[in-house]
Amino acid sequence: GEADQSNGAGKSAIFEALKWVLFGKSRHKKKDGVVKWNKRACEVICNFVVCESLYKIVRTRDKTIGESDVVLEQWNDLKQDFDDISCDTNTATDEKIISIIGFNCDVFVNSVYFKQNDISMFAASTPSKRKDVLKSLLKMEQWDDYQKKAKDHARGLQNKIDEKTQR
């Protein structure tokens, strides 16, 4: 129907650029697919704020030399410039980005689909994956820790009660 047709506003292009700059993942099967067909390279820069800290990611792909790179930077108020906080490898830097933003690519993709009222991708996931996505979207991982601590504490109290009851 009409709801499935593009309005040409470029939402998908922005979504793809964000997905690639944040996670190094794209819809293309080949890594060079992110580079426009008549160009040598591409670069996406993303600035974002988490807990009042400003970060910048610069992700590049050069198809001539077949290399990708990701640089993660954090704003330094004293220097009035960015500090490079990248790791030794792109993979480690990608993991650091995920830890800073607090969600992974699956959560990002599914949250965008939720907003576009297309939950088929989410619905087709396994129950465990759906639970993980929802927990991450709702920032509920912390509650798992609280639940475990509460259960451990309750178990300890129950043991004390059982001991006193036996006496």
Side-chain angles (χ1 to χ4, degrees):
E2 281 187 44
D4 296 334
Q5 294 176 353
S6 172
N7 64 7
K11 294 184 302 290
S12 294
I14 292 169
F15 169 69
E16 284 297 321
L18 282 170
K19 182 175 155 187
W20 186 65
V21 75
L22 291 172
F23 308 105
K25 296 184 188 306
S26 79
R27 61 185 164 84
H28 302 284
K29 289 181 176 43
K30 295 183 178 175
K31 290 180 181 182
D32 288 335
V34 296
V35 181
K36 198 171 180 178
W37 73 270
N38 59 343
K39 301 294 181 186
R40 171 190 169 150
C42 72
E43 176 180 83
V44 177
I45 301 171
C46 177
N47 291 341
F48 62 96
V49 175
V50 174
C51 298
E52 299 181 23
S53 289
L54 175 63
Y55 296 91
K56 178 165 72 171
I57 302 170
V58 180
R59 192 174 297 270
T60 56
R61 176 72 187 171
D62 187 321
K63 67 181 182 184
T64 305
I65 58 173
E67 285 189 7
S68 298
D69 194 34
V70 60
V71 176
L72 175 62
E73 299 177 324
Q74 184 173 16
W75 183 255
N76 182 325
D77 281 328
L78 295 175
K79 286 178 20 184
Q80 287 295 294
D81 198 3
F82 283 96
D83 290 330
D84 187 336
I85 60 167
S86 304
C87 301
D88 292 340
T89 65
N90 287 350
T91 301
T93 301
D94 288 341
E95 290 170 5
K96 187 170 187 174
I97 291 167
I98 289 169
S99 74
I100 291 169
I101 62 177
F103 54 88
N104 63 21
C105 189
D106 288 340
V107 170
F108 176 73
V109 168
N110 281 302
S111 67
V112 170
Y113 284 125
F114 281 146
K115 286 181 176 49
Q116 294 178 345
N117 294 323
D118 176 10
I119 62 167
S120 58
M121 184 176 181
F122 177 76
S125 298
T126 65
S128 174
K129 188 137 182 153
R130 285 195 301 264
K131 180 181 172 191
D132 290 343
V133 167
L134 285 173
K135 280 169 48 179
S136 186
L137 279 172
L138 299 172
K139 302 281 187 214
M140 290 180 63
E141 298 92 348
Q142 63 188 351
W143 299 105
D144 286 342
D145 294 337
Y146 296 150
Q147 183 181 30
K148 183 182 180 319
K149 288 176 185 172
K151 282 182 179 178
D152 291 345
H153 186 69
R155 197 174 304 115
L157 291 174
Q158 188 61 51
N159 287 341
K160 286 181 182 177
I161 290 169
D162 291 346
E163 285 175 26
K164 290 191 188 253
T165 303
Q166 287 177 359
R167 285 190 205 151

